[in-house]
Amino acid sequence: MKRTTQLQLYFPVASDMISRLIITWALLYSLCSAVTVRVSIDGDAVEGQETRLVCTVQKSNPTNTNDPTIRWREVVNGSPVTIVEYQEVPGPVNMDYADRFSVEGDGSQLTLVIDNTMRTDDGIYQCEVNVLNDPPSPVSGAVTISVAFLDSILLDVTPNPVAECESVMCVCSVNAEPDPTIILYKDEALIKTEITKNLAYNIDNVTRSDGGNYKCVASNIAGTDTSQVKQLDVQYKPEFGLANEDTVGHDEQYVIKLEISANPSDVTYQWTTDPSGIEDVDTNPATFTVNVPDVNVTVFTIRVDVANSIGLTSKSIKIIVRASPCADEPCGNGGTCSVVEEGYNCRCTDHFHGLNCTNCIYKDGCDLDKGDMYYSDGNGVCGCYCGGCRQFDKNTNRCETVCSVCSSSTSLTIGMLFVGIIIGAFGVIGGLIVYTRIKQKTKIDKRSTDKSKQDTYMDFTADRPTAGNENQTYQDLQYREEETAYVNLKSGKR
């Protein structure tokens, strides 16, 4: 006791150092000779797949032949719950885990196998090891698992259908662990991608080009899922083309046929005219047909209103009626005018040709220098008088020379012919005068010598006898074949 006291009294520093050395040696011995436990997960914990948790045991004393006691536990609400215990052989599995949990291996490496892993299997799992005569025991290790999963991804497009110029929101949403990569597609073209559980894509001022098929694709270590395809229906009011103005022939039929683009395509038509009363002669509500000859104006307007559930579009066209190309009677020389698609056509008489029947078929064949004479009566008849020794050839419509030489004697012959005609005419006239005088004298002599008739008349003498009627009777005067002569007669005796 005294030594001890002395040691304690005289060697206090040495005593404290010894105590510290003893403690340090004990700790070092414990660490160097302790059982070691390593717990790991083999791969990933994925819902629906197998998960393997590995517990590796290493004794501090390799010569220790005692089998370790290994317990796999799950920490539930802060307290460990034994799943299965192993000592030389696996023991029974806890009834709460028996349907999907089991162990494989031996005392050096014992693996906890979870079949058909569920997301409720998330949590902390411990592996506790106890080896007899191998302090310190027990020793444990732990691992935390988070089960990966991926539910079905959903796509919501609101509103749908949507009117043009409004806004629409596309939302891809999925319940998953860990956060998946979500890709939004339109007609198989990538629109947006993001690592999230909810992807939103907003379209402001929607146009019809935004319409199409949309879908979402989500993927993580648990797999890949694709949403149902949603078709974005962009609706718009009717659209169509219509000219501001057009012309039509006075005897034609004018038809307006519209090509409508609209969504929804169920449209209505309303047609009006200015002036009113112009009739649509067809029964199709999508067209308007006018018989122009029935319209008594030269300018009119047609208006159409086309509507669907989104809106209304109105347009109008001014129609100008062209006068008949035959109204000015362009065909001359008796030609007949008819309206054709290109304008008008003249049907000429046999003697004329050309656009307006102004060219006589004989004119080119008349050579005025050779004595030919061209004529036209303006009513469809024309021709050529061939001069000299020329003759008209119907095959060529020309005056052709029929003799080899035409001398100046021709003109002399023609002149002599005219002189002979004139002389003959005077001779005929003179002969007629002589003949008349002779006939008159014969009649007078005949009456003067007819005694049986002389007594029939009274004897008269002219009051004022003129040459040729002296001593003539009334009978003589009555038979004169000259202009009537008015004379004063009185009775008398021969």
Side-chain angles (χ1 to χ4, degrees), residues 325-326 330-331 335-340 343-348 354-355 357:
C326 292
C331 304
T336 303
C337 182
S338 60
V339 179
V340 295
Y344 68 91
N345 180 58
C346 289
R347 183 177 180 182
C348 304
L355 176 64
C357 301

Side-chain angles (χ1 to χ4, degrees), residues 393-408:
D393 188 339
K394 293 183 179 180
N395 294 324
T396 62
N397 289 332
R398 303 182 69 86
C399 289
E400 304 288 350
T401 302
V402 296
C403 55
S404 58
V405 178
C406 289
S407 64
S408 59

Side-chain angles (χ1 to χ4, degrees), residues 429-448:
I429 294 172
L432 288 174
I433 293 173
V434 172
Y435 171 75
T436 302
R437 291 293 183 183
I438 294 173
K439 183 178 179 182
Q440 180 182 358
K441 183 63 177 174
T442 303
K443 288 181 179 181
I444 293 174
D445 293 343
K446 183 179 180 180
R447 289 195 299 271
S448 299

Side-chain angles (χ1 to χ4, degrees), residues 56 94 205 229 462:
T56 302
N94 187 321
N205 194 23
V229 174

Side-chain angles (χ1 to χ4, degrees), residues 258-270:
L258 303 178
E259 293 184 2
I260 304 294
S261 174
N263 186 20
S265 59
D266 185 14
V267 299
T268 59
Y269 300 85
Q270 183 176 358

Side-chain angles (χ1 to χ4, degrees), residues 234-466:
V234 179
Q235 298 185 338
Y236 51 93
K237 68 180 182 179
E239 292 184 352
F240 57 92
L242 186 63
N244 294 325
E245 184 178 299
D246 202 359
T247 58
V248 61
H250 75 288
D251 58 350
E252 297 176 357
Q253 188 177 72
Y254 192 81
V255 180
I256 299 176
K257 185 176 181 180
L258 303 178
E259 293 184 2
I260 304 294
S261 174
N263 186 20
S265 59
D266 185 14
V267 299
T268 59
Y269 300 85
Q270 183 176 358
W271 300 86
T272 55
T273 63
D274 182 21
S276 60
I278 297 176
E279 183 182 1
D280 179 8
V281 298
D282 67 49
T283 59
N284 185 352
T287 62
F288 196 94
T289 303
V290 180
N291 284 330
V292 179
D294 299 337
V295 180
N296 296 323
V297 294
T298 57
V299 178
F300 59 94
T301 301
I302 301 175
R303 173 190 171 96
V304 59
D305 299 329
V306 185
N308 63 5
S309 61
I310 303 301
L312 177 143
T313 302
S314 300
K315 290 188 178 182
S316 60
I317 181 172
K318 181 169 74 172
I319 307 299
I320 301 173
V321 181
R322 296 190 305 270
S324 171
C326 292
D328 296 334
E329 298 182 354
C331 304
N333 297 300
T336 303
C337 182
S338 60
V339 179
V340 295
E341 184 176 355
E342 298 80 7
Y344 68 91
N345 180 58
C346 289
R347 183 177 180 182
C348 304
T349 61
D350 293 341
H351 290 186
F352 289 88
H353 67 94
L355 176 64
N356 297 323
C357 301
T358 56
N359 300 326
C360 177
I361 61 175
Y362 306 119
K363 187 173 184 178
D364 293 340
C366 264
D367 190 341
L368 302 182
D369 295 335
K370 295 183 178 180
D372 299 340
M373 296 178 59
Y374 168 76
Y375 70 91
S376 174
D377 65 359
N379 294 316
V381 177
C382 67
C384 182
Y385 291 115
C386 298
C389 55
R390 291 164 60 79
Q391 183 175 339
F392 189 79
D393 188 339
K394 293 183 179 180
N395 294 324
T396 62
N397 289 332
R398 303 182 69 86
C399 289
E400 304 288 350
T401 302
V402 296
C403 55
S404 58
V405 178
C406 289
S407 64
S408 59
S409 62
T410 301
S411 299
L412 178 62
T413 302
I414 294 174
M416 294 177 65
L417 177 62
F418 276 107
V419 171
I421 292 173
I422 293 172
I423 294 173
F426 277 110
V428 171
I429 294 172
L432 288 174
I433 293 173
V434 172
Y435 171 75
T436 302
R437 291 293 183 183
I438 294 173
K439 183 178 179 182
Q440 180 182 358
K441 183 63 177 174
T442 303
K443 288 181 179 181
I444 293 174
D445 293 343
K446 183 179 180 180
R447 289 195 299 271
S448 299
T449 57
D450 190 350
K451 299 298 183 179
S452 62
K453 294 181 180 180
Q454 289 182 356
D455 296 336
T456 307
Y457 303 95
M458 293 177 64
D459 292 332
F460 292 90
T461 60
D463 184 27
R464 294 178 180 178
T466 59

